[in-house]
Amino acid sequence: MAYAIYTDLDGTLLNHHSYQYQEAIPAIRLLKQQKFPIIPVTSKTRAEVLPLREELELDGPMIVENGAAVFLPESISTNMAELTARMDGFYVKAFAPGMSFWADVVTGLHESLPNTFTAFSDMAALEIAELTGLPPAEAELAAKREFSDPLHWYGSDYQLTELIRLCHEQDIKVVRGGRFVHLLQGSDKGKAVRWLHQLLRSQSEQPLTSIGLGDGENDLAFLAEVDRAVQVRSDSHGFPDFAHDKLYRTKAIGPAGWAEAVFELLKTQHR
């Protein structure tokens, strides 16, 4: 039996406050020894994930910007006609439109709801650093959006309801994340994981079981798609309501909980 590990980053594999992952290292080593891919499924940009991917010596795919796109290393052979785009050594499967689309959307929302939000595209890296706690260099990577433009929201609840209505008219979904409001069209962590796992399973020489780990409400879509779901305990919010036939909720928080779940599930699966 082989496993593919689909994981959220902030608050899950990475500490919500410090963005560190040291407590998860023993479990990461175990998965790499077994050659089980660790696949980020994150709201982060490709530019943000690449250094972490290199640091952890990961060589598998990644799902970025809340499921907006799947980046497949060119080492993964595929004949799928829909994978026509290539970027810096990756095949790309994009589910969401590019930044020119979002520029028009954000302009319209500024006109309809003035003084209620600041979009990522409106902020300098130092502003992003202040809002996220990221070092300035990493904030610059977070600003390199390719498929989405998150909003720092400071409007009222009534205005948020109006934002949701306006976006719904344009077939845009509004999701509140840990720090930002995300506007999604075509982006869906669940859809991206489902598409990618079907591809990986078709290429696997043995049955491929999916394990998903996340801490927030915006992870539920992809946790619903995996064979074994893990809700990682957070120190900033409770477990979101979620039902799954094979659900594990961690006792430990963040990366320590991530490691706890990996060791527990692999132990259970090999009994």
Side-chain angles (χ1 to χ4, degrees), residues 31-85:
L31 293 170
K32 289 168 67 177
Q33 287 169 3
Q34 300 292 328
K35 294 184 168 39
F36 298 156
I38 300 170
I39 301 166
V41 184
T42 179
S43 61
K44 289 182 179 294
T45 65
R46 174 172 64 111
E48 288 178 279
V49 177
L50 282 174
L52 178 66
R53 186 176 176 272
E54 184 174 348
E55 199 173 314
L56 295 176
E57 298 180 343
L58 306 181
D59 57 6
M62 56 184 173
I63 297 172
V64 301
E65 296 190 45
N66 281 308
V70 179
F71 284 82
L72 290 157
E74 289 183 346
S75 57
I76 295 180
S77 61
T78 177
N79 295 317
M80 298 185 69
E82 57 192 299
L83 296 177
T84 52

Side-chain angles (χ1 to χ4, degrees), residues 118-150:
T118 304
F120 249 59
S121 57
D122 297 326
M123 289 187 275
L126 284 178
E127 294 177 86
I128 295 172
E130 289 176 3
L131 283 172
T132 61
L134 290 168
E138 293 182 25
E140 287 186 17
L141 300 180
K144 294 183 177 180
R145 320 299 299 182
E146 294 174 296
F147 306 98
S148 61
D149 197 2

Side-chain angles (χ1 to χ4, degrees), residues 95-133:
F95 294 96
M99 290 307 294
S100 60
F101 171 86
W102 293 112
D104 291 341
V105 169
V106 168
T107 297
L109 291 175
H110 273 306
E111 293 172 356
S112 300
L113 294 166
N115 305 314
T116 58
F117 69 87
T118 304
F120 249 59
S121 57
D122 297 326
M123 289 187 275
L126 284 178
E127 294 177 86
I128 295 172
E130 289 176 3
L131 283 172
T132 61

Side-chain angles (χ1 to χ4, degrees), residues 3-4 6 209-213 222-223 225-231 242 244-248 261 264-266 268-269:
Y3 302 94
Y6 298 90
T209 296
S210 55
I211 295 174
L213 304 98
F222 89 84
L223 293 182
E225 295 291 337
V226 296
D227 300 312
R228 301 295 300 265
V230 175
Q231 287 185 289
F242 179 63
H244 191 286
D245 289 342
K246 295 183 177 179
L247 174 63
Y248 181 85
E264 180 62 28
L265 291 185
L266 293 192
T268 300
Q269 296 281 358

Side-chain angles (χ1 to χ4, degrees), residues 165-179:
R165 185 189 68 79
L166 291 170
C167 288
H168 179 73
E169 290 177 353
Q170 302 175 71
D171 195 29
I172 296 169
K173 184 178 179 181
V174 177
V175 175
R176 297 199 75 164
R179 293 181 172 89

